[in-house]
Each structure stands twice: as C-alpha cells, then as structure tokens.
C-alpha cells in the first residue's frame, strides 16, 4: 500500500498558483477560514487524499454512508486561474507521517502549478483575546513586507516559537522547492473553536489574495460564541455571589 | 519480510462473491456470529494470514503445539458458489497496520471474486440492552434499502460516529475498489461478550445473505450470560440490603 | 540502512543441523543455559547481528571500548557437525522488530543448514519453585514424544498461554520453513535470575541434544542464589519477631 | 520521501579527516563545546541535514522566517585540511531513527574523507562537580593511550554503562566502517546546562586535535552559571534559617 493515495476527481489544465491550507489546529482557526471560503466561493472538490498515516477508521454520515478518513483539495476559479484549498478533519497520526503527508501535499501543489502556499492556523495565548492579531511567519524574507502591508503582525517573532504539523512543514519543506510560504495565525485562547479569530485572519488573507467574500456567517458564529462565553461567565459570577452570601 | 503473508491451503476456481468479516471488537459480537456460522456450516479453512502488524507471539494449544498469531479465511460452498469468512483473534498492533492489513484482506477478496463484504461488529451503548437493535452503515447509498428491508437500522446515522479498524476500513477502502460494503453492528453494552446481540445480528445477516443456520447454541450462550448477569445483580442487591440493615 | 545486518566472522562449510537460542527473557533462564554451554564447550563466535530494532546505544566494556548492541551466533563443532547458539543482551524494541529479527535469525539458520531450533526460556509462576519443571511446547506434533522422553513436561499446555518474542516466533515462523522447533521453559518465580531453573533445563536439553557438559558452575550459582534468598528470608523473619516483641 | 535529506551548500575537494559531533545531550556539554569551536574558529556551514525522524515542525527566527528542523555540518579549514562539526538542536524521535541518522552522518563523513570522529557529550553523576573529569570511551583499543595522554579518563569503564544516541552510534557503527571513534564526556550533574564541564572537555579535545581556541566566553558562561547556583543556594539557606527561627 502507498503511504499516501491521491484521487483526482477531474483533469484540469488550469494554472493554480495559490494553495490555502486550513487543516485542524489550535482553535480550529485555519479550518474555519478555509471552510468559510470554500462555502462562500462555492469551490469545487477536485481531489481526495487518504493515507495510512491518518487514523484507521471511517466516518458515518447522516445517511449511514461511510467515508474513509481523508483530506480534500477544493478549487475556486477566477479570471482563468485557480485557487486551491487543502482541508480535512485530520492531521497525521505520527511524526514521520507529518513529513510524508506534507511532501505529498507539496507534490500535488507542484503538479497543479502552485507557487505560493498560505498556511492558516491559530496562535494560542492562553486567555480570551478582545482584538485578535494575525501573527505571521514566512519561509522567504522578501515575503515579510507584503504580509505586514496586509495587516499581518510579526510581533510573535521576538519570542521565537515553532509551527507544528502541516502548516509548519508546508513552509519548511516548500522552501526547498522554491514555493513561497506564508503562515497566518489568528491569536486565540486555545480553549475554544474561535470564529472571531478566524474573522480577523480572513481579513488579512483577503488583502493578500485579493479574494473577498462575505463575512456575515463567520461573524454570526463569532457573536454566538461570545454569547456562550458571556453566559458561562455570568453563571460563574452568580455562583460566586451565592457562595459569598452563604459564607457571609 | 513481507508486511503480510497469505498462505492459501488449497487452490480453488469457485466464485466467492461474499466475504463475511468477524474479527474481534466491541462485545465480540461480530466474532461470535462469524464463528457460529463457520461452526454450523462446517466451513473449511482455506487461507492463513500472518503479519508483522500482529502481536509478536505464538499461541500454545492444549496439545502443547505452537501456532503463529494469524487471521484465517474459511469457505462455505453452496450451489456452486462460495461464501468466505474472515476471522481471527487479533487486529493490528498499530494504526498503519490496520490500513496495511485491510488492503491485504481486500487483495485476497478480489482475487477470490468477492463483490460484497459484510463487516460484523458491536455498537457499544454503555448499558445492558433488552432487545438489541442491529445498527448499520453502508459504503454505497444503494445498499441502504436492502439492509433496512432485512431489519437493519440506520438510527445510529443521526449521531454520526465512526467505525474503527478492519470493519471500517473494509468498507472505506473497499469502496474505491467497487466492492460493496455493509457493516452490521449489534447493539451491546460494551462490558461483556454478548451472544444475545450476536443472535440479533445473525437474524439480519441471514435475511441479507440467505444463509440460514440453527441459532440454538448461540441462544444457549445468551441464556447462560443472562443468568450470570442476573446472579451478579442479585448478589449486589443482597449486599445493598445487608448494608442498609447494618446502618438501620 | 538494512533492518538487520549480519557480519559473518568466518566462512564455513560445516553442516549445522541444530540452533540453540538463549536470548534474554523471564528469569534469564534461557540465557543462563546457552551462555553456560558456550562457556563449557568453548564455542566460537561466528557471526554478529546488529539491527535498527535494537536499542540505539553502545555498551562500554571494562577497558573503555564501545560495542554496538548486537546478538551473536556461536558455533561448537563435534564429529564434523556444528551446533549453533544464538545469544545476546537484547530483544527487539518493537512488535514489528520481533518479526523482522526472527525472520533474520531463521535466514541465517537456513543458510547454515539448521533443521531444528531449541528455544530456551523461563516460565514465570509468581512464587519460588523447589523443583523446577521444564515446561515445553513444540511447533510440530511429532516432536512431543521425544521431548517427553527427555523429561520435558507439557503440563502447561492445559492452561494455553503464549510464548512472546524470539523464542515464540522462531517456532511459529520456523514451522512455515519446515524447521523443527522445541521450546523449553524452566519453571521460575519470574522475580530473580534463576540458575536453579537453568540447571533443570540444561538436563533436559542435554538428553535431547546429546551434548553433555559439567553443571558445576551453574549449580554453584544456584547455591549462591539460594543462600541470598535464605538470608533475605531470615532477615525478614527476624524483623517480624522484633516487631512482635516491640508490640508485646 | 527519503528518510534523511542532505543538502550540501558547496562542493569541496578538501580532505576532512576529522568530524567533531556536538548534538544535544546531558548538560548540553557536547553542544556547548562544538558551538564554541564553530564560533571561535568562524567555521562555515557546508551542509544541512533534514529527516522525517526529526520532530515535525519549523522554528521561527527573530525575523519571522521559518527554518525546517535540521542538523548542520560546519567546516573549519587549516593547513589545507578541514575539520568538520556536526551540530543541531535535535536528535531522532525514535530508536530506529537514531540508527538511520547515525548511518547518514557516517555516509556524509566518509564522503568527505573523515577517518576519525570525536563524539562529545556529558556524563551525568547526579550532583554538582567541582572539578569535572573528562570521561572517555573509544571504539578501537589503540586509541586509548592517546586519549589518556591528552587528559581523558577511563575511570568510568569500571562501571560499564552505555552511550545512547548519536554519540554512541557514531562509535558503534563507525567501527564497522573502520572510522576511529573517540567519545569524550564531561562530568556534569545532569540538572543544568554546564559550561564548566564544557570548558574541561574543550581542553582535552584541543590536546587531541591540536585545535586551540580562546576559552574566555565559555569560562564567562561557567562563571555566570556558578553565580546563579550560588544565589539559589544562598536563598535556600536563608529560607532554612528563617524556618528555624520561626520554629525556635
């Protein structure tokens, strides 16, 4: 069995210079942004990627139909050029698998003409964030000015740090192939799925790619999440007051 | 060394359109059904499958003879057609091994002419079940009506979920080969080996395959297990009364 | 890098029908027996086996010289025939490695003409044993009578059980190659290195192979170990009496 | 994907008979020495080694640029001969990876003409050491006298022991290739990064290689570390006196 199996759903001669990766990670920020774009742009699924480095199970959908664990490539066409999206529910099971999968993603990307990858993710800070910054890293120095002009911050660079999994390796292994890599990380607590952080990230990404979409549904999810958090905080405060009055 | 070694015990030109898998899993429901069928039908062992993804030991039988850990294929012939059974005491040691073994099972299945796989298992619900349903999943939509007509339920589909290991991957990887896959899961607590759940599953499977066998020994084991559970419950209640009278 | 590297220290045309394996295991019983035989017979080292499935370190000897972790084959010549010994300080790191190493041992064995393997080990019973039995398993039924005639017991067979690691796999994988396999397991507590159990095992092995050696050094080590155990028991009893007199 | 990828930054015909390895380990002693030498000698980076046996992430530098996890080879030229240094922030993720990486390091070494490897590390003793010895091991007996003449001690050999990871395997696997291997281990507590131990080690290494460098910055770091330890000890003693006066 191959380590990674790619099933292309259609042949395509269209040049696809850009790949946007939004696999699961901290706060699911990257995944929220990529899936929002796919939904708003009505992007089309063009490939399925399965691998023995994914968990060994199938997912049962609401009709009782099984689906092998996979990641997927979607395609959005505009002005005779395609933008690709890499999304899915899983990353690799193992350290070796992360490398093997990232090389496969880059193989597909090269085959489809990709010359730049946007790797989207979250940047966990351990507390709720009122105005999430979009922290950034690039795999070639000349990319930095462009990211800053679009509103990406490099304030994280001072504290070093590392980027784990597909996002990191797409930049690290992509560099050796001459593929530009820009990693955008929405600031997030790390405790919740964070559509507010995704909303911030999407704004920066739109300025970089020129792809504008409606933010309404993402902002609605962000508002819903704010309400949930407010309710929890209120309940905890009420409980605190109760305990105080009980003691008093 | 090969990852998987298949030792065919006889050559065979017989077409075998159906494979029934009953490897170990929740409540050993699938295993109980497959082994009951093999026993009642006097099915014949036709292949042994060993693998470095199985645990590294041999089993000593009651005569002091060692047997390498393996899975086995049995064959039952009827009207010039064969039905195959995949059984054994182990699944893979590792996530990667699950994929590698499932692909091997499908290689053997294709070679023997299999066009449909029944993957049998348990569906753990965390409490004792009076009338176990047979929950289901299929890898192609057109199979659903047939399963429902035979008494399989798709009520589990509403809650999503996943199917882990050989049963899941036979459906997921089988789909790409055009092999129909039907997973039948007997509802079970998940705490005990469950012949009652197996009895229910066997009824649905018989309607689907047309293979009828005597259920007596399975029902006897179910009755024995009910008695064991009743004894335990009685003992616990007696203990509870004793503690109450001690307190009182 | 190869999974397993075999370095033959000399070329040899001598037929070697028998391999005796004594790798580390319960009570180090097999290791004690094999090393005692190598020492008494002045057997000669003929091959070194290293592998990436062994732990990743070197051992520093008393002269400060490093030695790569390996297993070794020794050879003892008698009447124009050789008996081989497989010994070493390690078994595999991983389940897969156990299979890969066992197949390599069998490759070497076949190349050197081996037609029978004696796999030596311990059989842990959880308590000190006055007269350790030599429990047995064979990979072909016709071998059983011969083992029983030499004093090997098959009483363990009643309780099933399994044989893990190199000893088990040499029998299990050897069978498929037509190599006879006899596993002899000295009964042992499992808590201590057990030369007394090794002494019993050696007697049975000598009857089977016709290779007789002096047992003195093994019996001396057994006597030393008995003394150590007696001292510990006495100290604990003395402590018990003291505590009682203190209470009284 | 290859297990190990080596990217040579320049072609070179220069003979490089010596490789000095200083990868991370106990007290980071080897790493401190190798990096100090690279810095003082202004050695030049000549190769980068990446591998799927390293952790799956990239490191973000102070400019926000990502760098794939790798190990590096530096080169220092003197009198028409080169000395190589192997440094980096990581060793392998797995036991198998340690072997695969060490063989790759030796492949590179052989290709560049290396005939001797110095593997540098720490020797943990569990307590602070006033005058750290440089404990040693060699992979060929004839090397011992030379190491002792340079001030290396073999007192550790009496207690056996083992050398884990790259340092150990470079000696163990190097021996089979005829590459001399000398392991120098600075005595260290094992609790702190230990520049004092590194300073001792560097003296012995300089006598062996003839490469002399200024020790000032290493000794300054050692003095700083001594001061930190003294401050901690003083604070703990003060706390102890306080607790005593409180009790009194």
């Amino acid at each position: 069995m191959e380590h990674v199996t790619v099933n292309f759903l259609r042949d395509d001669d269209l040049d696809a210079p850009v790949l946007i990766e939004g696999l699961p990670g901290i706060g699911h920020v990257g995944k929220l942004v990529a899936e929002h774009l796919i939904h708003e742009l009505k992007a089309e699924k063009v490939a399925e990627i399965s691998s023995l480095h994914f968990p060994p199970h199938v997912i049962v959908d609401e009709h009782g139909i099984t689906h092998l664990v996979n990641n997927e490539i979607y395609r959005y066409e505009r002005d005779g050029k395609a933008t690709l999206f890499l999304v899915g529910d899983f990353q690799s099971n193992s350290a070796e698998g992360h490398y093997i999968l990232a090389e496969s993603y880059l193989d597909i990307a090269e085959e489809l003409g990709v010359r730049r990858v946007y790797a989207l993710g979250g940047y966990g800070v351990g507390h709720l964030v009122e105005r999430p910054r979009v922290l950034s890293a690039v795999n070639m120095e000349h990319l930095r000015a462009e990211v800053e002009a679009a509103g990406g911050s490099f304030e994280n660079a001072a504290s070093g740090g590392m980027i784990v999994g597909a996002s990191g390796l797409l930049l690290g292994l992509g560099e050796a192939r001459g593929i530009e890599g820009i990693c955008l990380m929405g600031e997030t607590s790390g405790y919740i799925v964070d559509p507010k952080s995704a909303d911030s990230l999407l704004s920066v990404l739109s300025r970089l790619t020129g792809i504008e979409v409606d933010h309404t549904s993402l902002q609605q999810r962000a508002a819903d999440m704010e309400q949930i958090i407010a309710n929890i905080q209120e309940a905890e405060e009420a409980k605190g007051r109760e305990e105080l009055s009980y003691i008093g």
Side-chain angles (χ1 to χ4, degrees), chain A:
Chain A
M1 188 193 183
E2 296 297 309
H3 279 263
V4 180
T5 304
V6 184
N7 179 26
F8 285 99
L9 305 179
R10 48 174 289 173
D11 269 328
D12 209 339
D13 289 345
L14 214 64
D15 195 37
V18 168
L19 171 70
I20 296 171
E21 173 265 324
L23 292 170
I26 301 167
H28 276 210
V29 177
K31 184 170 157 68
L32 285 170
V33 172
E35 291 181 351
H36 181 78
L37 280 166
I38 288 170
H39 182 260
E40 295 290 325
L41 298 170
K42 297 181 178 50
E44 181 191 9
K45 183 158 76 171
V46 293
E48 294 172 337
I49 302 161
S50 59
S51 170
L52 53 78
H53 297 288
F54 287 144
H57 64 242
V58 289
I59 293 164
V60 182
D61 72 16
E62 68 272 24
H63 305 294
I65 315 298
T66 57
H67 301 275
L68 192 60
V69 163
N70 65 18
N71 284 343
E72 298 173 338
I73 307 271
Y74 283 78
R75 199 190 69 129
Y76 162 65
E77 188 182 334
R78 193 181 54 162
D79 306 336
K81 296 225 163 176
T83 299
L84 302 174
F85 298 90
L86 169 61
V87 290
D89 287 329
F90 296 94
Q91 294 219 16
S92 165
N93 256 347
S94 69
E96 291 87 347
H98 272 301
Y99 278 97
I100 292 166
L101 282 163
E103 291 283 19
S104 292
Y105 300 146
L106 290 167
D107 288 345
I108 299 169
E110 281 200 327
E111 195 172 326
L112 298 175
V114 170
R115 290 183 292 281
R116 176 178 292 189
V117 172
Y118 292 99
L120 311 184
Y123 189 95
V125 293
H127 55 81
L128 293 174
V129 181
E130 189 56 36
R131 296 171 168 278
R133 291 175 298 170
V134 177
L135 299 165
S136 315
V138 293
N139 71 352
M140 298 176 191
E141 199 157 8
H142 74 271
L143 298 166
R144 187 172 157 151
E146 188 182 347
V147 174
E148 286 179 314
S153 162
F154 283 82
E155 289 166 287
N156 53 304
S159 61
M162 55 199 199
I163 304 170
V164 179
S167 286
L169 294 183
L170 285 173
L171 268 69
L173 297 169
E175 188 204 350
R177 300 178 184 230
I179 294 176
E180 296 176 342
I182 293 171
C183 184
L184 300 175
M185 297 167 280
E187 212 175 4
T188 180
S189 68
Y191 305 141
I192 53 162
V193 171
D194 194 344
K196 185 161 128 186
S197 180
D199 183 46
S200 293
L201 201 165
L202 180 55
S203 299
V204 175
L205 181 64
S206 288
R207 274 177 233 123
L208 280 162
T209 59
I211 300 175
E212 298 284 350
V213 297
D214 188 75
H215 285 225
T216 310
S217 71
L218 206 53
Q219 287 169 348
Q220 185 55 50
R221 290 184 67 175
D224 293 350
M225 185 58 86
E226 298 265 288
Q227 190 56 50
I228 290 166
I229 292 165
N231 291 348
I232 291 168
Q233 286 175 332
E234 199 175 306
E236 290 197 339
E237 278 165 29
K239 201 173 141 208
R241 279 194 303 274
E242 206 170 281
E243 280 167 0
L244 277 172
S245 72
Y246 183 81
I247 290 166

